[in-house]
Amino acid sequence: MMSYLDSLLKKRGLKECLLPLWKLKITEEEFKELRELLEKQTHVMRMSNNPFITLSKECTLFFAEYWRRLYVDGKHSKQMVYDALESTRHNVNLCDEFYEAARRGARLLKIEKYDGGRADPLNDMLYQGGLPMKLVTANVSNSVWDRFTRGLVNRKYNFEELNLGLVASQSRCLRDYCEQLILGIEAEQFMLMPFYCLNENDTWYMYLKELAKQEKIRRSQLHPYSLFWEFRIDNVEKKIYTKYIV
C-alpha cells in the first residue's frame, strides 16, 4: 500500500523525496490532508506500539510544515507541534510517540542534521520547512523579524540576530531557502518561490514583493548617486587611464 508521502512524490513525478523538505512545496489542501491523517492516528487504540510509527516520514514532514505555516511565538517544543494536530482525543497525550516517530522518519529521509556538538533533532526537523512565514511577513515595525526580512530582500541576512541557535546559523537548508526566496522576489516570479503559490496573488509573495520595492526606493533615497570607476589600459603607451561615472 502506498504511503501518503509516496503519493505526494508520485504526484510530482518523483522517485525519491526532495531535501530539504520545503522543496516539495506542499499545498494547503495537502497539508490539510496530512494533518487529518495524523490526527486520526491519535484515536488508534494501542497497547505498547506507537500509533505513528507506520507514518514516521509523514510525521517528519508535519514538523517542517508546521514551522513554516503555523509557528508564531514561544520556545520550540515537540508539544507545540503535536498540539497543532488538533486531536479531538483530549484525554490522551501522544506527544512523545509522535516525536519519536518523526525522529525515525528524519533518519530514514536522511535530512540535514546539526553535528556541532549536542544533537538537536527537534530544530533539525523544524528548519526543514524553511522560515516561519507568519513571522517573516508579520510587518511589525522594528521587530527582530522585520529587520531580518528587510535585510533578506536586500540580500543581507543574519540568522544569529534571530537567536534561533547554532542549528539555524549553520543550516544549509535555511540558507538555500533564503536564496530561493530572493531569487523569486527579484525575478518577480511566484513559481520560483520556495513555497507553493497558487498564483501571483499569494499573500506571502505579494507582501515580500511589495517590501522589496519599498526597500529599493529607500536605498535610492539614501544613495541618490552612484559612482563607478572605469579603467582603460593602453598597451602601446604602457599607461592606465581612469575616469569616474556618476
Side-chain angles (χ1 to χ4, degrees), residues 118-130:
R118 190 174 68 179
D120 193 349
L122 173 61
N123 284 323
D124 288 340
M125 292 189 292
L126 292 177
Y127 299 159
Q128 281 287 306

Side-chain angles (χ1 to χ4, degrees), residues 6 8-18 24:
D6 286 339
L8 293 178
L9 299 182
K10 183 178 180 180
K11 188 188 300 184
R12 289 158 173 75
L14 300 171
K15 292 185 178 180
E16 294 184 359
C17 185
L18 295 177
L24 291 174

Side-chain angles (χ1 to χ4, degrees), residues 20-209:
L21 292 174
W22 56 258
K23 289 186 177 182
L24 291 174
K25 293 191 178 184
I26 301 299
T27 68
E28 281 293 331
E29 184 62 29
E30 289 168 342
F31 178 66
K32 181 181 177 182
E33 292 172 351
L34 175 64
R35 176 148 59 178
E36 290 175 350
L37 173 68
L38 296 175
E39 193 278 334
K40 286 180 180 178
Q41 294 304 109
T42 67
H43 297 271
V44 173
M45 297 303 293
R46 65 191 180 93
M47 295 297 290
S48 59
N49 292 333
N50 185 333
F52 298 103
I53 207 68
T54 57
L55 297 169
S56 58
K57 293 179 182 179
E58 285 79 3
C59 292
T60 311
L61 179 60
F62 189 84
F63 270 77
E65 290 297 308
Y66 164 84
W67 172 252
R68 187 177 68 259
R69 295 170 182 273
L70 303 176
Y71 178 79
V72 290
D73 193 20
K75 182 179 179 181
H76 304 174
S77 71
K78 58 187 178 183
Q79 187 69 53
M80 71 180 185
V81 186
Y82 176 76
D83 289 344
L85 290 180
E86 299 179 346
S87 174
T88 55
R89 191 181 179 191
H90 303 298
N91 60 329
V92 174
N93 187 343
L94 299 174
C95 173
D96 289 339
E97 289 86 346
F98 182 55
Y99 179 62
E100 286 307 314
R103 289 188 62 180
R104 180 175 184 272
R107 291 192 294 270
L108 292 173
L109 290 167
K110 298 181 180 179
I111 67 169
E112 178 186 12
K113 60 181 180 179
Y114 175 64
D115 59 2
R118 190 174 68 179
D120 193 349
L122 173 61
N123 284 323
D124 288 340
M125 292 189 292
L126 292 177
Y127 299 159
Q128 281 287 306
L131 295 175
M133 296 304 297
K134 284 191 174 183
L135 290 174
V136 168
T137 60
N139 193 25
V140 180
S141 297
N142 296 317
S143 68
V144 171
W145 278 99
D146 181 57
R147 293 194 297 273
F148 177 84
T149 306
R150 290 179 184 277
L152 185 61
V153 297
N154 284 302
R155 284 192 168 272
K156 298 176 182 177
Y157 53 89
N158 182 4
F159 285 109
E160 293 183 4
E161 67 181 344
L162 295 176
N163 197 30
L164 291 177
L166 289 173
V167 181
S169 62
Q170 297 184 17
S171 172
R172 182 73 259 167
C173 165
L174 290 183
R175 293 186 183 281
D176 287 349
Y177 185 93
C178 289
E179 292 299 324
Q180 188 64 41
L181 185 147
I182 292 169
L183 177 64
I185 293 301
E186 291 184 345
E188 295 191 4
Q189 294 289 328
F190 70 90
M191 294 290 288
L192 293 178
M193 297 302 284
F195 48 83
Y196 176 78
C197 293
L198 177 62
N199 53 43
E200 66 275 7
N201 295 318
D202 178 87
T203 304
W204 294 343
Y205 171 69
M206 289 178 65
Y207 173 82
L208 291 167
K209 188 171 72 168

